[in-house]
Amino acid sequence: MPYGRRRQLVDQGIEEALSLSLQELLASVETRTITDAVGVTTGSFFHHFANRAKFAEAVAHRFEELWQERIARLVHETGTVIDDASAEQIRHAAADEWDQLARADASAGLQHLLWVARNAPLGEGSELTGQQILRGAYQAFIEAVQPVYEVSLDNMGREMLPPFTGRDMTVMTNALAEGLQMIGVVAPDLVRPDLYVDAMAAAFIVITRPRSERADVAHVELASLEAELIVRQPVARPRKRVETWRHIADAAAPLFAERSPADVRVAEVAEAAGVSPSTVYHQFGTVSAVAAAGWAQHVPELRAISEVPLTADEGPLLRIEQVLTRYVELIRVNWGLAQALVSEIVTEAGPSGTRGRQRRLRDIVPLPSLVLEHVRELRVRGLLRRRIDNERLARSLIHLCTLQALLFPEESVERVVAETMARVFDGSLVVPSGA
């Protein structure tokens, strides 16, 4: 076959592949393979998805969920350095972001599938395209992250160097992160651990300057700061001191992923944490208390979701729903932790629940506080009945959601959250007159 005709066939094959929909790209994954892995029937699959096109839409929406979680984490991590913004703090925030990106294989894979299917509807009868999903994701990233970056710059006494803008910086840093993430997944040896951090620091120096200074100052500053942020060896990130109880709880958490606390021995907990059984007894007293404390590692992620600023189109009920949805997802993969949480809540509420304990569960695992501010916002908006107590309502949401998730393991996450909110808010919300 002539070489020219061979090239034509290859190029046409590429063009055809790029015209496939997400539904067609997923077609090689058989429904039975998915259901067998989950442990349900194919009938259950089509109970949740009317057809494979709806499944493709759900896959795309899952990418949106993962992307929003990434935004929430980034806003939270970057926001923590706003009050004490410095070049080194920016490096630490970038390092935390890269730690997350390096583990986000599923999100990266979905993003590239959507990019391949960007020009076609997701499936038959769908009006959504991969381009629309990705455009919405990128736009959400810019709107959430740009203000945080700009506040950090202002606190550092810096401003963007024309013609660059805060939006330009946000787009560039996202593109840098996505590109290095893709390369790091397939060729990790090419992406050294601090490459993203150093590149962010270098980009920061090049496109910003001291506030109210002339543009040519940036060239002088670049030369003077090279040794500090680019050429020098990376400074070791300060290690945060981990309390003994937290170390034990984090190390033992995997033991309770699918096991009840009653089935785990103190010796196993001690071995996982590298401490003696007496240390476990001294810090917690019971294995159940160890398991309940394991929720402390998930509080930052849930708080990041809770603290995403509300837009004009959103309300506190939506943010509560998002927090509870992620909470139930975590329960489904940390069954023993959820069982222990219920047990310890009941124990702590008893007449001698806190006697002899070094710390209270509500202090180390403040789950109700994640929805408390949104309950207060409902109060401010006049949507709660006057006799309803804010803190009691917040605790009811978390505790009932935990029980619902444990009692009905076959129910979907959406169903558990919807029923929890319906039961708690039925009678609590003010019904508008005439409704």
Side-chain angles (χ1 to χ4, degrees):
M1 180 179 294
Y3 180 78
R5 182 59 56 81
R6 177 186 176 89
R7 173 64 59 85
Q8 285 180 331
L9 291 173
V10 170
D11 290 346
Q12 185 59 37
I14 294 173
E15 185 174 341
E16 292 298 323
L18 293 177
S19 67
L20 295 177
S21 67
L22 183 62
Q23 177 185 351
E24 292 168 316
L25 291 174
L26 293 172
S28 61
V29 182
E30 295 184 356
T31 303
R32 176 59 63 84
T33 303
I34 298 173
T35 56
D36 286 350
V38 176
V40 298
T41 65
T42 54
S44 177
F45 179 92
F46 289 108
H47 170 73
H48 291 284
F49 311 104
N51 48 50
R52 288 298 295 246
K54 292 298 182 183
F55 177 69
E57 286 188 351
V59 170
H61 291 316
R62 179 57 179 152
F63 165 76
E64 292 178 313
E65 293 173 0
L66 293 171
W67 187 268
Q68 285 296 333
E69 290 174 12
R70 179 200 166 193
I71 292 175
R73 284 193 298 266
L74 181 58
V75 169
H76 174 71
E77 293 293 342
T78 307
T80 58
V81 306
I82 285 180
D83 293 334
D84 184 27
S86 66
E88 195 58 40
Q89 290 287 355
I90 293 297
R91 289 177 63 88
H92 293 164
D96 289 333
E97 164 71 348
W98 181 249
D99 287 344
Q100 295 291 337
L101 288 172
R103 296 192 296 267
D105 290 1
S107 177
L110 284 174
Q111 183 176 355
H112 293 296
L113 278 179
L114 288 167
W115 191 89
V116 171
R118 65 191 181 279
N119 295 323
L122 299 179
E124 297 176 6
S126 176
E127 297 180 357
L128 283 175
T129 65
Q131 182 179 16
Q132 290 173 313
I133 296 290
L134 291 175
R135 180 180 178 84
Y138 297 147
Q139 189 68 35
F141 182 93
I142 300 301
E143 292 177 356
V145 177
Q146 180 182 344
V148 182
Y149 280 176
E150 291 177 341
V151 171
S152 296
L153 280 177
D154 186 62
N155 285 357
M156 295 176 70
R158 301 183 68 86
E159 63 185 5
M160 298 304 302
L161 180 67
F164 296 106
T165 66
R167 173 155 295 209
D168 291 337
M169 179 172 64
T170 312
V171 172
M172 290 168 59
T173 56
N174 184 47
L176 176 63
E178 299 302 318
L180 288 179
Q181 180 191 33
M182 181 177 68
I183 297 173
V185 169
V186 297
D189 56 311
L190 297 181
V191 183
R192 58 182 175 82
D194 289 329
L195 178 56
Y196 176 69
V197 178
D198 291 340
M200 283 284 288
F204 174 78
I205 294 172
V206 171
I207 65 176
T208 71
R209 66 184 181 189
R211 191 167 48 240
S212 302
E213 294 288 343
R214 302 188 315 276
D216 57 357
V217 172
H219 300 290
V220 178
E221 186 186 38
L222 175 59
S224 65
L225 292 184
E226 275 182 342
E228 180 183 354
L229 291 179
I230 302 177
V231 178
R232 69 179 176 85
Q233 293 296 321
V235 174
R237 295 170 59 189
R239 291 181 175 271
K240 296 181 180 178
R241 180 178 179 273
V242 179
E243 294 185 70
T244 302
W245 73 265
R246 180 62 186 268
H247 166 70
I248 295 173
D250 289 351
L255 298 174
F256 307 103
E258 297 180 355
R259 297 168 65 187
S260 168
D263 298 329
V264 178
R265 295 178 292 110
V266 171
E268 292 180 82
V269 174
E271 182 180 359
V275 299
S276 66
S278 61
T279 300
V280 177
Y281 278 119
H282 174 70
Q283 292 291 329
F284 292 99
T286 66
V287 172
S288 178
V290 176
W295 280 103
Q297 66 181 304
H298 299 297
V299 169
E301 178 187 355
L302 294 169
R303 190 176 302 283
I305 297 172
S306 175
E307 292 178 352
V308 174
L310 293 171
T311 67
D313 297 329
E314 296 174 332
L317 287 176
L318 174 61
R319 197 64 78 236
I320 290 173
E321 180 183 359
Q322 291 173 335
V323 172
L324 294 182
T325 296
R326 182 54 182 157
Y327 176 53
V328 175
E329 289 175 346
L330 290 170
I331 288 176
R332 293 287 164 84
V333 294
N334 295 280
W335 207 252
L337 298 187
Q339 288 182 327
L341 185 64
V342 173
S343 175
E344 291 304 300
I345 288 171
V346 174
T347 300
E348 195 170 273
S352 60
T354 58
R355 187 179 304 166
R357 295 200 176 194
Q358 293 184 328
R359 61 194 65 83
R360 297 187 307 172
L361 178 64
R362 67 179 62 181
D363 295 330
I364 63 176
V365 188
L367 293 173
S369 69
L370 302 174
V371 295
L372 181 57
E373 287 304 314
H374 302 298
V375 171
R376 289 173 176 161
E377 179 63 20
L378 289 172
R379 172 82 62 194
V380 170
R381 299 187 184 191
L383 298 177
L384 280 184
R385 296 187 181 277
R386 295 179 61 184
R387 294 185 178 181
I388 301 297
D389 180 78
N390 292 347
E391 293 188 6
R392 183 174 297 178
L393 185 59
R395 288 199 301 270
S396 297
L397 280 166
I398 295 296
H399 299 167
L400 181 59
C401 192
T402 309
L403 285 172
Q404 289 273 102
L406 290 173
L407 293 174
F408 305 103
E410 301 302 323
E411 294 283 5
S412 68
V413 173
E414 295 78 10
R415 178 73 178 273
V416 170
V417 173
E419 289 205 358
T420 296
M421 294 184 67
R423 292 177 186 277
V424 173
F425 285 115
D426 185 20
S428 300
L429 295 178
V430 174
V431 180
S433 58

